[in-house]
């Protein structure tokens, strides 16, 4: 895979991931009580599709790093590995929720009922995302892969995710901001990630026109 193709694929996959997550998150706030099955299954399906695009994104990102600066391939591989772990953990959580909803003979709120997902969506996902974002920030900063704001914002989001790791000590009420399955720990962090991925995806895709060659990359000012 050459650099231009890697940039375009990474960008498109990031945009597709973000689009799915942006559509998914609001579906969690449509109902006060247990939502109908169609709502839960629809948001889970959208999330699963988004995670499939995320797998493509982290794989293409690793290949892009390899094209731009092989010396930092280890950092790209770390971003790839932690991104895959995050996707896997979230897919398992989605499967547990979907199974519980399908098996129940009445509407349930899986964010409360399915206790096995509390720290999968919460503390575990937050830690994996912190590692992923740190690896992305390091890679971008050292390789001049993208504008500087992408690396700096990745570091900031990594720190925010780390701050939510201890949320597992604060109960299991989704209406609470800082709880194992609270809306701040899960929904808010998911929404922030989605818009960050959208901005990163657009920036990466557009960079194919200005960073297609090593000479162009060296001449491009960092913003």
């Amino acid at each position: 895979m050459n650099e231009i193709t890697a940039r375009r694929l990474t960008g498109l996959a990031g945009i597709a991931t973000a689009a799915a997550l942006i559509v998914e998150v609001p579906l969690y706030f449509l109902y006060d009580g247990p939502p109908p099955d169609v709502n839960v299954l629809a948001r889970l399906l959208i999330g699963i599709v988004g995670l499939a695009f995320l797998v493509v994104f982290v794989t293409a990102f690793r290949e892009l790093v390899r094209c731009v600066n092989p010396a930092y391939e280890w950092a790209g591989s770390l971003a790839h590995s932690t991104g895959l772990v995050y996707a896997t953990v979230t897919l398992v959580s989605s499967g547990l929720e979907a199974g519980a909803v399908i098996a129940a003979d009445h509407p349930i709120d899986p964010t409360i009922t399915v206790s096995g997902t509390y720290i999968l969506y919460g503390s575990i996902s937050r830690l994996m995302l912190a590692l992923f974002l740190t690896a992305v920030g390091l890679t971008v900063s050292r390789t001049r892969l993208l504008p500087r704001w992408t690396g700096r914002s990745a570091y900031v989001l990594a720190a925010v995710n780390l701050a939510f790791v201890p949320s597992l000590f604060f109960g299991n009420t989704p209406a609470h901001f800082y709880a194992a399955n609270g809306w701040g720990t899960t929904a808010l962090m998911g929404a922030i990630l989605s818009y960050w991925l959208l901005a990163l995806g657009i920036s990466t895709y557009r960079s194919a026109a200005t960073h297609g060659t090593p000479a162009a990359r060296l001449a491009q000012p960092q913003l």
Side-chain angles (χ1 to χ4, degrees):
M1 183 183 295
N2 62 44
E3 182 179 342
I4 295 177
T5 301
R7 286 183 181 275
R8 288 175 177 168
L9 180 58
T10 303
L12 288 174
I15 293 169
T17 302
L21 296 179
I22 289 170
V23 172
E24 176 194 16
V25 171
L27 297 178
Y28 281 84
F29 300 95
L30 294 180
Y31 301 92
D32 292 330
D37 290 359
V38 65
N39 170 270
V40 178
L41 296 178
R43 72 196 189 198
L44 289 175
L45 178 59
I46 294 170
I48 290 169
V49 172
L51 290 167
F53 283 122
L54 180 62
V55 172
V56 178
F57 171 79
V58 297
T59 303
F61 180 80
R62 181 185 61 182
E63 294 304 308
L64 176 56
V65 175
R66 182 179 297 167
C67 291
V68 172
N69 193 333
Y72 284 93
E73 184 179 346
W74 65 271
S77 295
L78 179 59
H80 173 257
S81 299
T82 51
L84 287 183
V85 172
Y86 169 75
T88 301
V89 167
T90 310
L91 285 170
V92 169
S93 301
S94 299
L96 291 173
E97 284 197 4
V101 168
I102 292 170
D105 58 2
H106 59 279
I108 63 171
D109 185 350
T111 62
I112 300 174
T113 306
V114 187
S115 58
T117 66
Y118 290 171
I119 67 166
L120 290 176
Y121 277 134
S123 297
I124 294 175
S125 291
R126 301 286 70 78
L127 183 58
M128 290 301 102
L129 270 182
L131 289 173
F132 166 72
L133 290 164
T134 300
V136 170
L138 175 66
T139 304
V140 170
S141 300
R142 296 297 179 85
T143 63
R144 299 172 62 183
L145 181 65
L146 292 168
R148 287 176 183 165
W149 69 261
T150 57
R152 291 170 179 171
S153 62
Y155 285 137
V156 171
L157 290 182
V160 173
N161 275 273
L162 276 179
F164 278 92
V165 172
S167 62
L168 78 167
F169 291 105
F170 293 87
N172 65 330
T173 304
H176 292 172
F177 177 78
Y178 198 86
N181 57 340
W183 65 269
T185 309
T186 56
L188 178 62
M189 289 295 96
I192 293 174
L193 175 68
S194 64
Y195 286 103
W196 180 80
L197 278 172
L198 178 62
L200 184 72
I202 292 172
S203 179
T204 306
Y205 185 82
R206 293 178 62 183
S207 72
T210 55
H211 290 70
T213 66
R217 184 168 60 253
L218 291 173
Q220 179 69 14
Q222 297 297 295
L223 304 177

